[in-house]
Amino acid sequence: MQLPAMDVARRAGTSLAAHPRIAAPVLGGLAACGFQPLALWPLTLLGVAGLIYLLSKARSAGRAALIGWLFGIGHFIIGNTWIATAFTYQANMPAWLGWIAVVLLALYLAVFPLLAALGAWLLGRRGALSLALGFAACWIVSEWLRSWVFTGFAWNPLGVAALGSFARPGLAAAAPWLGTYALSGAVALLAACWLAALRRPALDWRTGALALLPVAAFLAPIGGSAAPGKLAFTLVQPDVRQQELDDPTKWEGQFATISGLTRPAAPGRQRLVLWPESGIPDYLRDGYPGYFYRQTTYAADPLRARQRLGQVIGPGSLLLTGAVDLEVDDGAPVAARNVVTVVDASGALRGSYAKAHLVPYGEYLPLRWLLEPLGASRLVAGALDFWPGPGPRTLDLGPWGRVGAQICYEIVFSGQVVDRAHRPDFLFNPSNDGWFGSWGPPQHLAQARLRAIEEGLPVLRATTTGISAVID
């Protein structure tokens, strides 16, 4: 039995093979449509299936590598369009440079699909099954490489398209056993199932099974809710827009907003107060040059700034807030650190975590000696580069529990968010998503959801604006 739709699909496949240099970037863009905010996961499967088909028709390793690279260019341009928005919130570089940055980043990131495609072609010359298995295996390796080469850019692994509805994780429920990158390999194999169904000569039960298996995997009602937590918390999103965040004339108004949203706890009850990255502009530690304190909001005195925070949260509360620390050498600041700082009701510092995965060109400028004379600068305001912290750390807050902090996009790095020797009770992910327009925040949230599933830990996200959430 034949279906007209199958004939149409086969003719489309023939057209793809005839124009691989056009088809490959289009297929890569389709594959990126499975990410948020579109979440059109069938297009991800079609895009990856089309890539495997093109590789099966490639006559040389060089042609296979070119197909993979072109696929990657389309894939990362569509998936990373939010980066261009970040350039509209700074004055040191023209906003149009953001789109050039998106393309240049895609040209680099596409090297990893190139490697996956080349490896799959070399492994898959024995037949369709070996090509599909080889592609899935090589894609897993390529995403793992992308997560750490040149400090790594792990944004939007293919597996994040496997997330189901907000109520159920769907195929992503397998992440605790597979891990994120093997989950991406599973998505690739499910795409190969659709390709195999189209290649079958007739419609029979095997064709139907191959066609329905990916649908069943993505839509399976897997997963459930965790038991209610016992710790009270107040999670605050102050809705501070990026264009106002670094304006000193707005700082006291912003503090009034975030303070007003931090309502007092019930008498005698312990709770956590969670403020976002960039939650306050004050320097909270002692020992910095006086002119740095005078740049911030409250009396040029870190002790009074901390005590004011203690008054806001009230007795029984503990505040976790995004802040900035300085590294001082010989009485002069030499670098900054993006931190989560813990402050109690008396204004005492109870611990901190320094961000380990910094954003190149965002929080520091690589090759500053070369790029700065050419007019390049950091996106984040300030003259000091940020330095990275040592990595995952669990802060033991006593009766307030054990927290693992991951600042902003650190949460996207699979296997790198938890201190394995001292596992936390939950993860706190403060972020400033105001940089990233309408596409970046939902992608960020999706990856935080995947991390909660993979680690088996609740994730609490507080953002300046964007999407704040509690994920069980």
Side-chain angles (χ1 to χ4, degrees), residues 192-231:
C193 288
W194 273 7
L195 178 60
L198 289 173
R199 282 181 154 179
R200 288 191 57 79
L203 179 62
D204 56 19
W205 71 268
R206 297 179 184 85
T207 307
L210 287 168
L212 292 176
L213 178 61
V215 178
F218 271 74
L219 298 182
I222 305 172
S225 296
K230 297 180 180 179
L231 178 65

Side-chain angles (χ1 to χ4, degrees), residues 176-472:
W177 299 277
L178 294 179
T180 291
Y181 305 127
L183 183 65
S184 296
V187 172
L189 286 176
L190 291 172
C193 288
W194 273 7
L195 178 60
L198 289 173
R199 282 181 154 179
R200 288 191 57 79
L203 179 62
D204 56 19
W205 71 268
R206 297 179 184 85
T207 307
L210 287 168
L212 292 176
L213 178 61
V215 178
F218 271 74
L219 298 182
I222 305 172
S225 296
K230 297 180 180 179
L231 178 65
F233 63 90
T234 299
L235 188 152
V236 182
Q237 175 170 307
D239 194 27
V240 178
R241 303 300 166 133
Q242 189 61 37
Q243 57 266 35
E244 299 181 352
L245 189 64
D246 296 316
D247 183 351
T249 66
K250 306 285 188 181
W251 284 347
E252 276 302 302
Q254 293 166 11
F255 186 82
T257 298
I258 200 169
S259 301
L261 292 168
T262 306
R263 298 170 183 170
R269 189 174 189 186
Q270 291 176 325
R271 65 151 181 180
L272 279 177
V273 177
L274 305 169
W275 287 2
E277 183 186 22
S278 306
I280 54 171
D282 297 288
Y283 293 107
L284 299 179
R285 295 191 178 277
D286 301 309
Y288 302 155
Y291 67 89
F292 268 87
Y293 295 119
R294 289 191 292 272
Q295 293 173 8
T296 61
T297 63
Y298 196 63
D301 185 339
L303 175 59
R304 290 188 65 190
R306 297 195 303 267
Q307 289 174 339
R308 180 168 73 158
L309 295 176
Q311 291 169 1
V312 168
I313 62 175
S317 294
L318 202 63
L319 171 67
L320 278 69
T321 181
V324 173
D325 285 351
L326 298 178
E327 291 290 330
V328 177
D329 184 26
D330 243 0
V334 294
R337 294 191 190 272
N338 188 350
V339 299
V340 168
T341 298
V342 186
V343 183
D344 67 16
S346 70
L349 296 176
R350 298 284 293 270
S352 68
Y353 165 81
K355 185 178 182 181
H357 274 289
L358 300 177
V359 181
Y361 306 100
E363 291 165 309
Y364 69 98
L365 186 63
L367 302 174
R368 179 178 285 275
W369 59 272
L370 173 64
L371 296 177
E372 198 167 43
L374 298 176
S377 67
R378 258 183 21 212
L379 292 176
V380 176
L384 296 174
D385 274 343
F386 285 78
W387 283 0
R393 179 187 178 196
T394 297
L395 301 175
D396 190 341
L397 306 180
W400 291 274
R402 299 183 305 275
V403 56
Q406 291 290 298
I407 300 173
C408 195
Y409 100 133
E410 285 189 302
I411 198 73
V412 311
F413 288 88
S414 173
Q416 301 180 47
V417 301
V418 168
D419 179 354
R420 301 294 174 193
H422 306 90
R423 276 182 63 83
D425 299 319
F426 64 94
L427 293 174
F428 175 43
N429 177 218
S431 185
N432 171 15
D433 284 359
W435 293 96
F436 305 137
S438 59
W439 278 47
Q443 291 180 9
H444 203 174
L445 174 63
Q447 291 170 92
R449 288 185 64 213
L450 186 56
R451 203 78 324 102
I453 297 166
E454 183 178 53
E455 295 291 346
L457 292 171
V459 174
L460 285 79
R461 301 192 76 235
T463 66
T464 51
T465 188
I467 306 174
S468 297
V470 178
I471 308 166
D472 73 13

